[in-house]
Amino acid sequence: MSVIYLLITISIIVAICFFLAFIKAVKSGQYDDDYTPSVRMLFDDELKKTDENQTKTTDEKTI
Amino acid sequence: MDTSHCFHCGLDIVKADEIIFDEKHFCCNGCKTVYEIFSLNDMSCYYDFQKSPGASPLDIKGKYDFLDNEKIVDKLLDFNEDKTQIVSLNIPHIHCSSCIWILENLHRLQHAISYSQVNFHEKKVRITFNPGLTSLKDIVYLLSSIGYEPYISLENYETGKTNIDRSLTYKLGVAFFCFGNIMLLSFPEYFEVSEFWLDQYRGFFRWLIFALALPSFFYSASGYYVAAYKSLRTGMLNIEIPIALGIIVMFIRSTVDIVFGYGPGFFDSLTGLVFFMLLGKMFQIKTYSFLSFERDYKSYFPVAVTKINTDTKESSIPIYEVEKGDRLLIRNQELIPCDGILITAKAEIDYSFVTGEAVPIVKKSGDKIFAGGRQIGKIIEMEVLLSVSQSYLTQLWSNKVFQKDVEQKYKTITDKISRYFTPILLLIAMVGFAYWIFIDINTAFNVFTAVLIVACPCALALTAPFTLGNVLRILGSQKFYLKNAVVIEQLAKVDTIVFDKTGTITTSKQTSITYEGVVFSNHNLTLIKNVLRGSNHPLSRMLYDFLPETSRLAIHEFDEFPGKGIYAVTNGSTVRIGSASFVGKKQPLHLEQTAVHITIDGLYFGKYIFHNQYREGLEQLFKELGQRYELKVLSGDNEGERQVLERLLPNGSQLIFNQKPEQKLEFIKYLQEQGKNVMMVGDGLNDAGALAQSNVGISISENVNVFSPACDAILDAGEFYRLGYFMRLSQKAITTIKMSFTLSLLYNVVGLSFALSGNLLPLVAAIIMPLSTVTIVSFVTLMSNFYAKKIKGI
C-alpha cells in the first residue's frame, strides 16, 4: 500500500496543473465580461462571395 | 409589415414626416440615412437580431470639436502608439444583440478600425484603430451617424486607467481548490474504522490536508481578517469578527489536534466555510455590477467649452481651464458651464435642470446667467464670472450632506445582530469552559473551541446578501434600480413620503392643452400650425404636436423673439403667437398659468393653456400609500395646482409651493428632526440636496442613464404607479431575513448542544455547517421569489 504515497502525490500535481490553468485563464481577462460572448456566438458568419469565386477558379485550373 | 412604426427605431411615425425608402417606413430622415448606410455596406442583418433596434441619430455639428484638442484625446485613449490607438467609449444606446453585432462590425463601415469589442453589461465598446487613417473625432461622428452616439463625460477625462480587480475570483478559485481536495482526502478518516493501513498513513493524509488548508486560510480568508481588524480598531462589532474568529480558532484547534494526534482537525469545515463565504460575496458583487452609481456632478457638464480668444479666434479648452474674464461661445442645446454675464443681446435659457421649470427664462445683455442652464436657440457669447468650482450648482453639490457617508447613518440589520452575536458566543464558550474545567481539562478546551467553531455565523453573513441580492434583482427586472442592498432595509423603515411636483408626479411627456377663446377656422389653424413649425421652443413644439394635420404653406416672414413670441407673415396674413403682451392683449397680473396667446391680422382670438399632466395611476397610488404613510408634496412651481393636488391626496396632506432647492433640503431636515423616517421622490438636480438628505431618495427618470447622483434608487417613469408594491416587497424582504435568522438559530442550537456536551466530532461539524448554509440560501431565495409573486396580485 505504500504506492499510495506516489498516487496521491501524482493526483495532487495534476490538480495543481489544472489550478494553474485556471489562474492563467482568469488573468487573460476572458472572465471579465461573461455576458457578451453568449450573444456573440449566435451571430452567423456570412459567406464571402469573393472567396467562393476564387476557390472555383483554382479548382478549374488544377483539373 | 407594421407601417405605423419606424422600421429602424420603432417609434411612432408622424404621417406628415413619414419617409418611405426601399419599401420600408421610417419616421425621419435620420433613421432612413442609417438604414441606407447599413444596406449599402451589406450590413442589413443588423435588423435580423432584434426588431427596430436603432436610434435616430442626433445632430451633433460642433459638439465634438473638443476632440481636436490633443491633450483631451490623450486622456481619453487607453493606448496610444504610432500606428494603433485604442479607446473605450461608453455608449448608452447599447441594449440588444443587434447593437453588439453592429458595433463589432464597425470595421466594415470604416476600414481604419481594425477591431472593436463590446462589453454589454458596462455598455462600452473598445475600438482599435489606425490614427494615421482616421481620428477619434471621425469615429465619434461615425458612431453618432448610425445612432450610437457615445457619452463622453469629465469622468473619462479625470480618472486614470482603472485596474480591473480580479482578486476575488482568484481567492474563490483557491478556496474551492483547497476545499474540494481536502474533502476528498478526508474521506478515509470519515469512514474511520480502525484499519491497520489507515493508522500507517494517517499522518501522511493529515499533513497533506494541513498543507492544502494553508493557502485557503492565509490567502482566501485574508479579506475577513483585514475587515475584522479594521472594525475592532473603530470599536464596532460587525459580522466579519465572528467569522474571522471562527476561522482562526478552527485553524489553531485543528493544528493542535494534528500535532498532538487528538483528531483529524476541522480543516474540511474551515475551507468549506471560507468557500461559501466568498461565494456569497461574489454573488453580491455580480448583482450590483449592472448600474454604475459613481457618477458625480461633473458628468452633467460638457467636457470642453469653446473659448473666444482675444484675437476673436475660437479654440476649445477643457472646462477646468476656464478662468474669470474668459469669453465663451455657447451653442444651441449646450449647457452653460459656469456663472457669467451675457454679452449677446438676448438669450433663452432652459433651467429645468435647476428649477424644474420647463419654460425657458429670457436673459438680456448684461444679465447674470448661472451654470447648469441649457441654451435654446441662437448662439450666445458670455463672459465668465466664476470658474467651474465655485458655481452655484457646485455649491449645492458641495453641501456637506453629500460628503456624509450614508452608511454610517444607518446600521444594517446584520450589523445590529452581529453586535450581540460575538459577545453572546464568547459568553457561552466561557460558560462551557468553566463548567468542564472542573471535570476534565481536555474536554474544557475541546468545548471552548467547539463552541466557537460550530456557532455558524454563516447564516448571518449569507442571509442578508442573498435575500437582498435576490430582491435587488427582482426589483431591477421591474425597472426599480437600487444603489445597493442597504436601501431595501431603509425602504422598509420609511414612514413619511415627500413628492416633488414637476417631473415627478407630473409627466413632461404629455401636457394637456386647452383652448380658451374664439374658435378657429380651418384656414386659421393652418396658418398657426405652419408658423409653429418654424419654432424650436418647447411650447411651440408641444402645441404643434397638439394641433391637427394641415397642409403646408410658405412662410414669407418669420421672426422669433425669445421669451416673447413669434411674428410671421404667411399666405397674406400676419400671425402673432406668444405671450399676452407680445400679441397685444392685456393680461391680469395675478393670473398664474402657462399660456400661449394668438393674434391673427391684429385680431385677438384666444389662448392655449398648458396644464400639468399628472402621471397615470397617481390617484390610486396616493390612496394606497396614504393608508400607511404620511404624504407631502413640495414644489418649485406656483400655487396654481393646489386644488388639484388637494383632491388627489388624502386629507390633511401638506402641500408647499415655491420651494427653492435649499428650502426643500431644509424641509426634509426639519421632518427628520421630528423623528420621521423620510423618503423623497424627485427627479432632477434641483432636488438633489433633498434627495441626499432624506433617508431614501428616489429619482424618477424617463431615461435611466440620466439621473441625479444623489439618489439611492432610480425608478423608471413608466413603473411609478407601482411604488406601493415595491415598498411592500422591501418589507417582505426584511421579514424573510428575520425568518431565516430564526432558522439559523435553530441550527446553532443543535450545533451548540453537540459542542457543549463535548461531542462535536469533525464529521458532525462538517455536515452541519454546509447543510445550514445551503438550506438557508435556498430558503431565502425561494421565499423572496414567493413574496414577489404573491403580493403582486394584491
Side-chain angles (χ1 to χ4, degrees):
Chain A
M1 263 303 264
S2 56
V3 73
I4 205 167
Y5 287 128
L6 183 66
L7 289 173
I8 299 261
T9 316
I10 292 179
S11 69
I12 296 273
I13 290 176
V14 171
I16 290 183
C17 287
F18 278 111
F19 182 63
L20 291 174
F22 168 74
I23 302 266
K24 223 174 85 173
V26 173
K27 239 195 200 140
S28 72
Q30 54 183 287
Y31 293 108
D32 292 337
D33 177 8
D34 54 6
Y35 180 76
T36 321
S38 67
V39 179
R40 199 177 290 135
M41 67 184 236
L42 294 174
F43 295 143
D44 293 330
D45 286 334
E46 288 135 37
L47 292 170
K48 283 216 179 99
K49 297 196 182 101
T50 43
D51 279 355
E52 279 181 18
N53 289 336
Q54 277 174 3
T55 44
K56 277 198 201 132
T57 44
T58 42
D59 278 346
E60 284 171 37
K61 277 188 190 154
T62 48
I63 294 168
Chain B
M1 196 191 298
D2 188 0
T3 55
S4 62
H5 294 279
C6 176
F7 180 72
H8 177 74
C9 66
L11 296 174
D12 289 337
I13 300 181
V14 176
K15 280 293 166 199
D17 298 328
E18 185 175 12
I19 297 175
I20 302 181
F21 177 79
D22 206 15
E23 288 172 25
K24 300 192 174 61
H25 296 250
F26 299 98
C27 65
C28 61
N29 199 32
C31 289
K32 173 211 151 221
T33 314
V34 184
Y35 174 79
E36 250 184 308
I37 296 176
F38 288 160
S39 53
L40 279 173
N41 283 292
D42 234 352
M43 293 169 89
S44 41
C45 42
Y46 171 69
Y47 297 102
D48 292 342
F49 298 105
Q50 187 100 347
K51 193 160 165 260
S52 312
S56 209
L58 299 167
D59 183 22
I60 54 157
K61 236 186 303 185
K63 187 170 170 185
Y64 290 103
D65 283 346
F66 62 86
L67 288 174
D68 287 328
N69 186 325
E70 288 269 335
K71 266 196 289 181
I72 298 181
V73 170
D74 212 40
K75 288 272 168 114
L76 292 172
L77 292 174
D78 284 344
F79 179 83
N80 190 350
E81 282 299 310
D82 275 339
K83 293 235 178 82
T84 323
Q85 281 183 341
I86 304 184
V87 65
S88 282
L89 293 170
N90 186 321
I91 304 193
H93 184 65
I94 293 179
H95 70 290
C96 71
S97 31
S98 285
C99 308
I100 302 179
W101 187 83
I102 185 71
L103 289 171
E104 293 194 345
N105 277 295
L106 275 178
H107 55 90
R108 288 161 74 170
L109 285 174
Q110 165 63 276
H111 290 291
I113 297 178
S114 53
Y115 181 67
S116 50
Q117 185 170 26
V118 171
N119 183 328
F120 188 74
H121 271 309
E122 293 176 24
K123 301 208 173 174
K124 280 205 170 109
V125 65
R126 198 174 148 88
I127 303 177
T128 313
F129 62 99
N130 185 340
L133 297 172
T134 186
S135 70
L136 181 58
K137 187 173 171 190
D138 288 335
I139 291 184
V140 170
Y141 270 35
L142 172 67
L143 287 169
S144 306
S145 72
I146 55 171
Y148 285 95
E149 191 180 338
Y151 177 74
I152 303 181
S153 73
L154 266 181
E155 280 165 52
N156 298 0
Y157 181 53
E158 290 274 301
T159 57
K161 285 183 203 71
T162 44
N163 287 320
I164 306 171
D165 184 21
R166 297 194 192 104
S167 64
L168 185 60
T169 317
Y170 289 135
K171 284 185 182 163
L172 196 58
V174 168
F176 187 58
F177 177 79
C178 301
F179 172 55
N181 283 303
I182 290 179
M183 285 302 266
L184 289 174
L185 289 169
S186 303
F187 272 23
E189 295 248 28
Y190 286 160
F191 304 121
E192 180 237 340
V193 183
S194 11
E195 291 223 359
F196 176 65
W197 78 267
L198 189 58
D199 293 328
Q200 286 250 284
Y201 299 104
R202 199 187 296 267
F204 171 64
F205 279 102
R206 286 187 182 174
W207 285 106
L208 192 55
I209 290 177
F210 174 77
L212 277 170
L214 288 175
S216 180
F217 176 70
F218 284 112
Y219 176 60
S220 299
S222 58
Y224 289 105
Y225 307 143
V226 171
Y229 175 64
K230 278 196 191 147
S231 135
L232 275 175
R233 271 214 330 218
T234 58
M236 284 188 357
L237 292 173
N238 68 0
I239 193 64
E240 266 93 14
I241 294 184
I243 296 178
L245 190 65
I247 296 177
I248 293 175
V249 167
M250 249 194 271
F251 184 75
I252 295 176
R253 162 83 188 263
S254 311
T255 318
V256 163
D257 275 359
I258 287 188
V259 165
F260 294 112
Y262 295 143
F266 295 90
F267 289 114
D268 43 11
S269 313
L270 188 152
T271 45
L273 177 66
V274 172
F275 172 65
F276 280 116
M277 292 288 115
L278 287 177
L279 200 62
K281 215 184 239 185
M282 175 140 262
F283 181 74
Q284 229 177 328
I285 292 179
K286 288 275 175 212
T287 326
Y288 302 155
S289 62
F290 182 59
L291 279 183
S292 62
F293 259 81
E294 303 313 311
R295 298 185 200 180
D296 56 2
Y297 73 93
K298 292 181 203 160
S299 303
Y300 285 104
F301 289 76
V303 177
V305 291
T306 311
K307 174 176 154 182
I308 303 173
N309 294 325
T310 38
D311 54 356
T312 67
K313 276 219 189 64
E314 289 167 24
S315 60
S316 63
I317 55 168
I319 197 169
Y320 281 107
E321 289 182 23
V322 170
E323 283 157 39
K324 181 172 166 173
D326 282 347
R327 284 207 174 191
L328 303 177
L329 196 75
I330 314 283
R331 294 184 191 82
N332 185 21
Q333 296 293 329
E334 279 193 346
L335 281 177
I336 297 179
C338 28
D339 294 348
I341 301 187
L342 184 62
I343 297 175
T344 320
K346 274 203 184 91
E348 242 188 275
I349 306 179
D350 176 4
Y351 275 110
S352 54
F353 260 163
V354 186
T355 63
E357 295 280 355
V359 182
I361 300 179
V362 182
K363 295 278 179 184
K364 53 186 201 300
S365 174
D367 280 351
K368 189 165 175 198
I369 52 179
F370 295 101
R374 189 192 291 272
Q375 165 59 12
I376 310 271
K378 318 182 290 196
I379 269 179
I380 59 167
E381 258 183 62
M382 61 174 272
E383 187 173 313
V384 176
L385 272 183
L386 291 173
S387 55
V388 175
S389 57
Q390 293 161 292
S391 298
Y392 164 68
L393 271 185
T394 322
Q395 279 169 356
L396 200 59
W397 291 118
S398 313
N399 190 313
K400 57 177 160 30
V401 153
F402 281 66
Q403 261 64 310
K404 212 193 304 182
D405 187 353
V406 182
E407 300 272 344
Q408 286 174 355
K409 279 202 284 195
Y410 184 82
K411 279 211 162 55
T412 66
I413 201 170
T414 315
D415 286 339
K416 275 213 192 102
I417 299 207
S418 56
R419 265 221 325 242
Y420 300 115
F421 187 83
T422 316
I424 293 180
L425 186 61
L426 284 170
L427 194 66
I428 296 178
M430 298 289 184
V431 165
F433 184 76
Y435 173 75
W436 280 95
I437 204 161
F438 299 116
I439 301 175
D440 175 15
I441 204 165
N442 271 336
T443 325
F445 276 109
N446 188 330
V447 164
F448 182 74
T449 48
V451 166
L452 288 175
I453 290 171
V454 88
C456 184
C458 35
L460 279 178
L462 291 178
T463 305
F466 272 94
T467 315
L468 298 176
N470 200 24
V471 172
L472 222 62
R473 196 185 47 83
I474 295 175
L475 290 174
S477 67
Q478 304 193 11
K479 306 217 185 142
F480 185 35
Y481 306 100
L482 273 59
K483 188 177 190 172
N484 54 40
V486 175
V487 179
I488 300 182
E489 297 183 46
Q490 289 169 310
L491 269 174
K493 292 202 146 203
V494 164
D495 57 30
T496 313
I497 308 183
V498 176
F499 289 92
D500 177 47
K501 185 179 79 74
T502 318
T504 307
I505 54 182
T506 65
T507 164
S508 46
K509 284 224 167 111
Q510 305 149 296
T511 304
S512 89
I513 308 176
T514 53
Y515 178 69
E516 261 176 38
V518 179
V519 176
F520 289 111
S521 64
N522 277 338
H523 172 70
N524 284 333
L525 275 177
T526 314
L527 293 175
I528 297 173
K529 182 137 174 146
N530 278 286
V531 170
L532 286 173
R533 195 163 154 264
S535 161
N536 218 9
H537 194 281
L539 291 178
S540 311
R541 286 192 293 231
M542 281 194 271
L543 192 52
Y544 179 79
D545 289 334
F546 176 69
L547 290 176
E549 278 304 305
T550 57
S551 48
R552 290 277 154 82
L553 292 173
I555 312 263
H556 294 281
E557 243 185 85
F558 184 88
D559 250 315
E560 189 167 1
F561 299 90
K564 291 217 173 72
I566 312 170
Y567 166 82
V569 177
T570 171
N571 206 9
S573 301
T574 322
V575 181
R576 275 179 181 262
I577 302 178
S579 66
S581 53
F582 181 72
V583 305
K585 167 108 181 122
K586 273 214 172 48
Q587 181 88 323
L589 274 166
H590 60 264
L591 200 61
E592 324 205 45
Q593 269 173 352
T594 312
V596 164
H597 302 257
I598 318 254
T599 302
I600 305 183
D601 287 330
L603 212 64
Y604 179 78
F605 276 79
K607 59 185 175 183
Y608 281 97
I609 307 177
F610 293 79
H611 298 281
N612 286 311
Q613 181 84 327
Y614 289 101
R615 292 195 191 274
E616 246 180 71
L618 188 67
E619 199 168 344
Q620 179 73 354
L621 180 67
F622 278 156
K623 214 187 279 178
E624 198 186 321
L625 291 175
Q627 286 169 356
R628 282 170 173 223
Y629 307 98
E630 234 180 275
L631 301 178
K632 300 183 194 294
V633 173
L634 284 181
S635 173
D637 213 347
N638 55 47
E639 292 252 346
E641 293 292 310
R642 180 172 277 276
Q643 275 166 339
V644 181
L645 283 172
E646 276 177 358
R647 208 171 27 89
L648 288 172
L649 290 165
N651 287 338
S653 306
Q654 227 176 335
L655 300 167
I656 312 183
F657 296 93
N658 294 312
Q659 294 285 287
K660 290 210 269 288
E662 307 88 53
Q663 288 173 303
K664 290 187 186 181
L665 198 157
E666 293 302 318
F667 182 68
I668 305 270
K669 246 198 212 156
Y670 163 71
L671 285 175
Q672 287 176 325
E673 277 158 20
Q674 294 191 322
K676 302 213 198 286
N677 202 305
V678 184
M679 174 170 98
M680 167 99 192
V681 184
D683 73 321
L685 285 183
N686 64 322
D687 33 31
L691 281 176
Q693 176 66 29
S694 55
N695 299 76
V696 180
I698 300 186
S699 154
I700 306 282
S701 121
E702 314 268 354
N703 169 8
V704 185
N705 278 307
V706 177
F707 60 92
S708 159
C711 64
D712 299 303
I714 311 176
L715 178 56
D716 184 83
E719 302 294 318
F720 176 67
Y721 67 97
R722 301 178 69 219
L723 192 59
Y725 164 68
F726 294 136
M727 308 283 293
R728 267 178 293 134
L729 185 57
S730 4
Q731 281 169 335
K732 288 295 180 193
I734 304 296
T735 317
T736 311
I737 292 181
K738 291 195 178 138
M739 283 200 285
S740 98
F741 278 163
T742 325
L743 194 61
S744 88
L745 198 66
L746 238 73
Y747 270 110
N748 276 320
V749 165
V750 169
L752 281 172
S753 60
F754 272 106
L756 283 170
S757 58
N759 280 331
L760 186 70
L761 301 168
L763 183 60
V764 173
I767 292 181
I768 289 189
M769 290 169 76
L771 190 65
S772 71
T773 310
V774 168
T775 40
I776 297 230
V777 168
S778 348
F779 172 73
V780 295
T781 314
L782 288 171
M783 278 312 277
S784 44
N785 283 339
F786 168 70
Y787 275 132
K789 284 208 188 77
K790 182 169 160 228
I791 62 178
K792 209 180 202 172
I794 296 176

